[in-house]
Each structure stands twice: as C-alpha cells, then as structure tokens.
Amino acid sequence: MKYAIVGTGGRHQMFRNAVTETHAETAELVALCDVNQSRLALSASKVPNRGGNGIATYLAEDFDRMLTEQDPDTVIVTTPDYLHDEYIVRSLRAGRNVMTEKPMTTDLARLKRIMDAQRETGKKVTVTFNYRYSPARTQLKEILMSGTIGEITAIDFRWYLDRVHGADYFRRWHRYKDKSGGLLVHKSTHHFDLLNWWAASTPVSVSATGKRDFYTPEMAIKLGLEGHGPRCHTCPVAHKCAFRMDLEADEPLKQLYLDTEKDDGYWRDKCVFADDITIEDTMQVQARYASGTSLNYTLVAYSPWEGLEVKFHGTKGELTHKHIEVHGVFAGGNRERGGDEEVEAMTTELHLAGGLPQKLDVWTGKGSHGGADPIMLGYLFNPDGMPEDQYGRASDQVAGAWSILTGIAANKSIAENGARVEIAQMLAEAGITL
Ligand SMILES: NC(=O)c1ccc[n+]([C@@H]2O[C@H](COP(=O)([O-])OP(=O)(O)OC[C@H]3O[C@@H](n4cnc5c(N)ncnc54)[C@H](O)[C@@H]3O)[C@@H](O)[C@H]2O)c1
C-alpha cells in the first residue's frame, strides 16, 4: 500500500517512521506535503534507505499534483486540526482513502463536508484514535463488554493536564478556538471517543461550562512576569518563567520549529499568558447517552499531575480506573521530568455489590501513549499480521464524528450560558446525517 503524508510537524514522525521503518514490508511512503519547505526537507532527510533523489516532497499548493504523480492509496493527514477537512475531502474526491489524526475536524460545517464527501465517494476514512489501543483502556472495554458491572448507569470522567503538557496547548495554533475547536474538541475528542466506545453508545444531549482561569495575562502578573514578550525565544523575563519553552536548548524541537520558522513565521513558543488566546483551560460537561447512561466530565489544563480518573457506575457494581500518566510530551523529551522515562501508576478496581473491592492486574504495554501507538500502528499498516480485533477499536468517520459532537455541543452550550444542547437537533440544523 502506498501512503502520502500531509503535515510534516511533530506528530507525522510517528506515521512516517511506521511506514518507512517498522512496517516497511507492507507499506511504502511515496510523498510528503507541507507549507514549509524546510520542514519537508527535514522529514525527507530522515527517511532511511531511499536511493536516487530520495522521497518526493510537495508544497501544499501542489497537493493535487502530488496525488496524481505519486498515486498514493491512502493520504495520512497530520496538519493542524482546522485543515483536516480540506485534505480529507480533497483526498476522498481524488479517489484516495484517508487516515486522519484526531480530532477528525473542528466544527459542524467542516464535519458536513467530510460526511458528504465520504458518502459520495465511498472511500475509507480512518480516525487514528490511539487511546483505544492502550492495553489498560482495552481492559476496561473487556470488563464492560462482559457485563460484569451490569448496565452502565452513570460515568464520572476526569482528565488532568499538567503544567507542562497542558501549557503546550496555549503556545501555538491549538490556542485559537477556530483552529482547534478548543480543548473540548481538540483534546476531549480522545476522551469522548473512549466514552462512546466504552459505553457502546452515543451522546444525546450536552450542557457545559468553560472558562480560562490560569493561562491569562493576569496570571503572568501574579507570577511576577510583567513585561513578558510574545514568545519565549526573545522574552526578557524568560529566565524567571517556569513555563519557558527553550527551543534553542532542545535539538529536535530546534530543528523542527526554530530552524524552519523563517519559511512560514510559525512560532512554536508563543507566550502562554497572551491575551489573544481564545480557548478555555477549565471545562465541565454533563451529557446523557442514548443508552440512558449519564456523564459528568472535567478537563483541567494546569493540574499538578497528569492523568485520568474514571468511574463506571453499574447495576451490579462499580469499575474504577486511575492512571497517573507522567511522560515526556515534547519531541526531545522533558528534562524537568527525567527525559523520556515514563513514571506511571495505574490502578483498576472492581467493586461488585455485596463484595469487597478487588484490585485488578492492569494490562500494560510498551511504547508511546501507554503502549497504545505501536498496537494501533500494527492494525493500521499491517492488519493481516495482527490478531482479530475483538474490541472494535478501528474508527471510521462516524466514530470520528461522534467523538467531536459532545465537544462541539459543549462549545455551543458554553456560548449559550450553559443551555442544554440536543445533538439530534444540532445535526439536523446543520444538515448532517451520520
Ligand atoms: N493522537 C495523538 O496522540 C496526537 C498527538 C499529537 C498531535 N496529534 C494531532 O496531529 C495533528 C498535527 O499536530 P502536530 O503537533 O504535529 O502539529 P504541528 O504544528 O507540529 O504540525 C503541523 C504541520 O502541518 C503543516 N501545515 C500547516 N498548514 C498547512 C497546510 N495548509 N497544508 C499542509 N501542511 C500544513 C505545518 O507546517 C506543520 O509542519 C493535529 O491534528 C493534532 O491534533 C495527535
């Protein structure tokens, strides 16, 4: 199978390496595409064993020519979120399959374009929800599927982003709601996808609150950072800022962003306390599912630790999972937290009515995102070499749509002072059929 990748930033490296190294026997990378010529050249230079002129690279304006000349079966989309729809739709209409990073897209107008194009072309869209593949989350699916806790009546789900990872969403394109959908779409797409998959259901109605309490100009003053600049690289108070991102000191980040910014002016290290940020850092959502399950959800982006807590309430008992997930999030690892070493703690507890709580042996795996990425890449690029997936982890455009609809409805609810949003009505008004 032949693949092309559009968007050669941080995330594409995982797909490029999977296609050109780990799964090179079943996959072939035929081209790379980006707006930034230097980032393209950097990525092409990392592709091993390419003779001749190496890997073909195309600027974004030549995307359609790339499809014609290089004839990929599948286009892998790893651009910023608000551009996914453009490349998904153009690829589908050119007769290609698509693998897209999450979130599939950011708003209803873009979602409609994707659903229409997929329906009209019949081509395949895969949304790469790596979290489903992490062994500990798959184990929860296994327990829930087995009916051990009975009907799932309610779920409490909390995700905490720490001040390294959480802050990173406030440095670049993610920090603008029109480019990422805000964290309730950009980040929570993972969580709402897990919840839809775990509960084997889809959301019906949503209400939410959201605010920005921490990454604010006022907080910069409280932290003694008066006179800060627009970015860390040239900031006069960077030496006393705990949120500094030092691109110069981190070779992979320097190569990928600082050395390439002359081409497109993309600053990787904008100040997290700037006043032009338009996303929230503190969000709470309540939702009701078609199955009758109700959900309480919290996402905070400035916690002292990173991870999740989820509790499933069932008619026969409770299932509780906590994952303290502290890992390097930057390309070069995170020195403050001890390189790329993962310092994790996971617990899963089953408490059936009438019995004592039981601590379960948590399923684990090796590799990024708690062992999820290598398993997902196996299913994506060498499905015949993998065991049959009894958990239904592959995600198409419909699962991609459901995973963003809770967040899109939550954004609407926040804009309407917490009003309850009915998803069927929202979809009907946007002319979307799933
Ligand atoms: N599943 C996960 O765990 C995970 C983790 C990280 C990122 N992601 C997703 O991957 C995607 C990329 O994130 P990233 O961190 O690599 O971002 P990034 O900003 O590092 O990379 C984006 C790339 O897209 C390029 N680009 C910008 N405009 C373009 C255009 N018009 N046409 C073509 N290319 C263009 C940029 O030059 C850059 O090279 C996002 O959708 C993000 O949500 C997913």
Side-chain angles (χ1 to χ4, degrees), residues 151-153 195-196 199-205 287-295 402 422-423:
E151 301 294 315
I152 308 169
T153 53
L195 287 160
N196 297 345
S201 189
T202 49
V204 170
S205 63
R288 193 167 54 78
Y289 279 77
S291 59
T293 304
S294 49
L295 167 73
W402 281 115
E422 299 294 331
I423 290 187

Short mmCIF file of all heavy atoms in Angstrom, two decimals, residues 151-153 195-196 199-205 287-295 402 422-423:
data_model
loop_
_atom_site.label_atom_id
_atom_site.label_comp_id
_atom_site.label_asym_id
_atom_site.label_seq_id
_atom_site.Cartn_x
_atom_site.Cartn_y
_atom_site.Cartn_z
N GLU A 151 -25.64 -3.04 33.70
CA GLU A 151 -25.86 -1.88 32.83
C GLU A 151 -25.05 -0.71 33.36
O GLU A 151 -25.04 -0.47 34.57
CB GLU A 151 -27.34 -1.47 32.85
CG GLU A 151 -28.31 -2.53 32.41
CD GLU A 151 -28.13 -2.87 30.94
OE1 GLU A 151 -28.00 -1.92 30.13
OE2 GLU A 151 -28.08 -4.07 30.62
N ILE A 152 -24.42 0.04 32.47
CA ILE A 152 -23.70 1.24 32.91
C ILE A 152 -24.72 2.37 33.05
O ILE A 152 -25.33 2.79 32.07
CB ILE A 152 -22.61 1.66 31.90
CG1 ILE A 152 -21.70 0.49 31.55
CG2 ILE A 152 -21.80 2.84 32.44
CD1 ILE A 152 -20.78 0.77 30.37
N THR A 153 -24.91 2.82 34.28
CA THR A 153 -25.94 3.84 34.50
C THR A 153 -25.36 5.26 34.48
O THR A 153 -26.02 6.19 34.05
CB THR A 153 -26.62 3.61 35.86
OG1 THR A 153 -25.57 3.54 36.86
CG2 THR A 153 -27.42 2.32 35.86
N LEU A 195 -15.29 7.24 25.77
CA LEU A 195 -16.56 7.07 26.48
C LEU A 195 -17.62 6.46 25.56
O LEU A 195 -18.37 5.56 25.98
CB LEU A 195 -17.02 8.43 27.03
CG LEU A 195 -16.18 8.90 28.23
CD1 LEU A 195 -16.30 10.40 28.45
CD2 LEU A 195 -16.61 8.16 29.50
N ASN A 196 -17.69 6.93 24.31
CA ASN A 196 -18.67 6.37 23.36
C ASN A 196 -18.40 4.88 23.15
O ASN A 196 -19.32 4.06 23.09
CB ASN A 196 -18.58 7.08 22.00
CG ASN A 196 -18.93 8.56 22.09
OD1 ASN A 196 -19.50 9.01 23.08
ND2 ASN A 196 -18.58 9.32 21.07
N ALA A 199 -19.01 2.84 26.51
CA ALA A 199 -20.44 2.73 26.82
C ALA A 199 -21.22 2.13 25.66
O ALA A 199 -22.42 1.87 25.79
CB ALA A 199 -21.00 4.12 27.16
N ALA A 200 -20.55 1.91 24.51
CA ALA A 200 -21.21 1.41 23.30
C ALA A 200 -22.47 2.21 23.00
O ALA A 200 -23.55 1.66 22.74
CB ALA A 200 -21.51 -0.08 23.43
N SER A 201 -22.33 3.53 23.08
CA SER A 201 -23.49 4.39 22.87
C SER A 201 -23.03 5.74 22.32
O SER A 201 -21.83 5.96 22.13
CB SER A 201 -24.25 4.55 24.18
OG SER A 201 -25.48 5.21 23.96
N THR A 202 -23.99 6.62 22.08
CA THR A 202 -23.65 7.95 21.54
C THR A 202 -24.40 9.02 22.35
O THR A 202 -25.48 8.76 22.89
CB THR A 202 -24.05 8.03 20.06
OG1 THR A 202 -25.39 7.56 19.91
CG2 THR A 202 -23.11 7.21 19.19
N PRO A 203 -23.82 10.22 22.41
CA PRO A 203 -24.44 11.27 23.23
C PRO A 203 -25.72 11.82 22.62
O PRO A 203 -25.84 11.92 21.41
CB PRO A 203 -23.35 12.34 23.28
CG PRO A 203 -22.55 12.12 22.04
CD PRO A 203 -22.58 10.65 21.77
N VAL A 204 -26.65 12.18 23.51
CA VAL A 204 -27.94 12.71 23.06
C VAL A 204 -28.05 14.20 23.38
O VAL A 204 -28.47 15.01 22.57
CB VAL A 204 -29.09 11.95 23.77
CG1 VAL A 204 -30.43 12.62 23.53
CG2 VAL A 204 -29.12 10.50 23.33
N SER A 205 -27.65 14.57 24.60
CA SER A 205 -27.75 15.98 24.98
C SER A 205 -26.57 16.34 25.89
O SER A 205 -26.03 15.48 26.60
CB SER A 205 -29.07 16.28 25.67
OG SER A 205 -29.14 15.56 26.88
N ALA A 287 -23.47 15.10 30.18
CA ALA A 287 -24.08 14.58 28.96
C ALA A 287 -24.97 13.40 29.29
O ALA A 287 -24.80 12.74 30.32
CB ALA A 287 -23.00 14.15 27.97
N ARG A 288 -25.91 13.16 28.39
CA ARG A 288 -26.78 12.00 28.51
C ARG A 288 -26.61 11.17 27.24
O ARG A 288 -26.53 11.74 26.14
CB ARG A 288 -28.23 12.45 28.68
CG ARG A 288 -29.20 11.36 29.12
CD ARG A 288 -30.54 11.98 29.56
NE ARG A 288 -31.12 12.86 28.55
CZ ARG A 288 -31.77 12.42 27.47
NH1 ARG A 288 -31.92 11.13 27.25
NH2 ARG A 288 -32.27 13.28 26.60
N TYR A 289 -26.54 9.87 27.38
CA TYR A 289 -26.31 8.98 26.24
C TYR A 289 -27.61 8.29 25.82
O TYR A 289 -28.54 8.15 26.62
CB TYR A 289 -25.26 7.92 26.62
CG TYR A 289 -23.86 8.46 26.52
CD1 TYR A 289 -23.34 9.30 27.50
CD2 TYR A 289 -23.07 8.18 25.41
CE1 TYR A 289 -22.07 9.82 27.38
CE2 TYR A 289 -21.79 8.71 25.28
CZ TYR A 289 -21.30 9.52 26.27
OH TYR A 289 -20.04 10.05 26.14
N ALA A 290 -27.61 7.82 24.57
CA ALA A 290 -28.78 7.10 24.04
C ALA A 290 -29.10 5.87 24.89
O ALA A 290 -30.26 5.48 25.04
CB ALA A 290 -28.52 6.70 22.59
N SER A 291 -28.06 5.27 25.48
CA SER A 291 -28.26 4.08 26.31
C SER A 291 -28.89 4.40 27.66
O SER A 291 -29.22 3.50 28.42
CB SER A 291 -26.90 3.42 26.57
OG SER A 291 -26.06 4.37 27.24
N GLY A 292 -29.00 5.70 27.98
CA GLY A 292 -29.52 6.11 29.29
C GLY A 292 -28.40 6.47 30.25
O GLY A 292 -28.63 7.08 31.30
N THR A 293 -27.17 6.12 29.92
CA THR A 293 -26.02 6.45 30.78
C THR A 293 -25.88 7.97 30.87
O THR A 293 -26.06 8.68 29.87
CB THR A 293 -24.72 5.88 30.16
OG1 THR A 293 -24.88 4.48 29.98
CG2 THR A 293 -23.51 6.16 31.04
N SER A 294 -25.56 8.46 32.05
CA SER A 294 -25.28 9.89 32.18
C SER A 294 -23.80 10.08 32.51
O SER A 294 -23.16 9.19 33.09
CB SER A 294 -26.17 10.55 33.24
OG SER A 294 -26.14 9.78 34.42
N LEU A 295 -23.28 11.25 32.15
CA LEU A 295 -21.83 11.51 32.25
C LEU A 295 -21.56 12.84 32.94
O LEU A 295 -22.19 13.85 32.64
CB LEU A 295 -21.23 11.57 30.83
CG LEU A 295 -19.80 12.13 30.73
CD1 LEU A 295 -18.78 11.13 31.29
CD2 LEU A 295 -19.45 12.47 29.28
N TRP A 402 -18.89 11.27 16.05
CA TRP A 402 -19.46 11.21 17.41
C TRP A 402 -18.46 11.72 18.45
O TRP A 402 -18.83 12.33 19.45
CB TRP A 402 -19.92 9.80 17.75
CG TRP A 402 -21.25 9.46 17.13
CD1 TRP A 402 -21.50 8.52 16.19
CD2 TRP A 402 -22.51 10.11 17.41
NE1 TRP A 402 -22.84 8.52 15.86
CE2 TRP A 402 -23.48 9.49 16.58
CE3 TRP A 402 -22.91 11.16 18.25
CZ2 TRP A 402 -24.82 9.87 16.59
CZ3 TRP A 402 -24.25 11.54 18.27
CH2 TRP A 402 -25.18 10.90 17.45
N GLU A 422 -29.34 19.73 22.34
CA GLU A 422 -29.79 18.42 21.85
C GLU A 422 -29.01 18.13 20.57
O GLU A 422 -29.08 18.90 19.59
CB GLU A 422 -31.29 18.43 21.55
CG GLU A 422 -32.17 18.72 22.76
CD GLU A 422 -32.12 17.64 23.84
OE1 GLU A 422 -31.88 16.46 23.49
OE2 GLU A 422 -32.29 17.98 25.03
N ILE A 423 -28.28 17.03 20.57
CA ILE A 423 -27.39 16.77 19.43
C ILE A 423 -28.16 16.49 18.14
O ILE A 423 -27.78 16.96 17.06
CB ILE A 423 -26.40 15.65 19.78
CG1 ILE A 423 -25.42 16.22 20.83
CG2 ILE A 423 -25.64 15.14 18.55
CD1 ILE A 423 -24.27 15.36 21.20
#
